[in-house]
Amino acid sequence: GVFNAVYINGDSVGPTMYYGQGAGQLPTASAVWSDIMELINKKVNANSSSIYFEKNPKNISNINDLFTKYYLRFSTLDQPGVLSKISGILGSRKISIASVMQKERSAGNKVPIVMLTHEAYEADMQDALAEINKLDMIKDKTVLIRVER
C-alpha cells in the first residue's frame, strides 16, 4: 500500500516519525494535523512519561510581541524608486535594514530583492508588509522568514 510519514525532531524527545496509509498529500496532512490538535487538547498525566498539555496555557506570548530579525524576499518591478518606497515603509515602522541585495532581472521584468532586517517587533513587521504588499510595484506576496538567535 501507500504509506506517508511525518518526521519531527523535538528538543526533548529527539527524532520521531509518524506514518500510516494515506490517500495523498492533503488528506494525509489533514489527518496528521487533526491528530496533533487532538493531543494538544487533551490533558495528559504530568507524572507519566507523556508530555503534559494544557488546553489554555498561560505562558505563551503573543506573536505580535516577538522581537527578532527577519529575512524578506520581495518580487518587484524593475523600476527606479522601488527600494526607496520599501525602505520608507519599513522605516516608518522603526524597522532597520541590516543588508539588502537586488538580484538581476528575471523573466517578466520582475526583480527579486532580498533583505535582512535588524531586530523588530512582529506587529510592526506585519503592518509594514501589509502596506508593502499593496504597492503596484510588488508582483508576488512577500516571503518572510523569522531569524532566531
Side-chain angles (χ1 to χ4, degrees):
V2 176
F3 282 83
N4 292 295
V6 174
Y7 178 83
I8 299 173
N9 191 358
D11 292 341
S12 300
V13 298
T16 60
M17 183 179 293
Y18 306 93
Y19 69 97
Q21 291 188 337
Q25 179 181 4
L26 294 178
T28 302
S30 174
V32 168
W33 185 246
S34 174
D35 291 346
I36 291 170
M37 292 308 296
E38 185 177 340
L39 281 172
I40 289 172
N41 287 318
K42 287 184 178 179
K43 282 192 175 184
V44 180
N45 184 341
N47 295 325
S48 74
S49 61
S50 301
I51 297 172
Y52 180 77
F53 293 99
E54 281 188 40
K55 192 164 189 171
N56 296 309
K58 306 209 178 358
N59 61 346
I60 295 179
S61 300
N62 186 323
I63 188 72
N64 288 327
D65 296 333
L66 178 66
F67 190 69
T68 192
K69 297 177 181 182
Y70 294 89
Y71 164 94
L72 304 169
R73 189 179 73 230
F74 305 96
S75 179
T76 72
L77 288 177
D78 185 18
Q79 63 186 37
V82 172
L83 279 174
S84 173
K85 189 72 171 169
I86 291 171
S87 62
I89 292 170
L90 291 171
S92 72
R93 302 294 192 298
K94 299 179 184 163
I95 300 168
S96 177
I97 299 167
S99 66
V100 61
M101 180 174 61
Q102 182 172 333
K103 299 194 175 196
E104 291 293 323
R105 183 183 317 167
S106 60
N109 203 30
K110 289 194 284 187
V111 176
I113 298 173
V114 177
M115 288 185 179
L116 182 64
T117 72
H118 291 286
E119 291 179 325
Y121 285 102
E122 178 78 14
D124 294 331
M125 181 58 70
Q126 292 300 328
D127 287 346
L129 289 184
E131 186 175 345
I132 289 168
N133 283 329
K134 290 179 185 175
L135 297 172
D136 290 338
M137 60 187 69
I138 301 295
K139 295 298 145 215
D140 297 314
K141 185 177 177 188
T142 301
V143 173
L144 172 142
I145 299 175
R146 292 172 191 92
V147 179
E148 297 194 25
R149 299 173 226 145

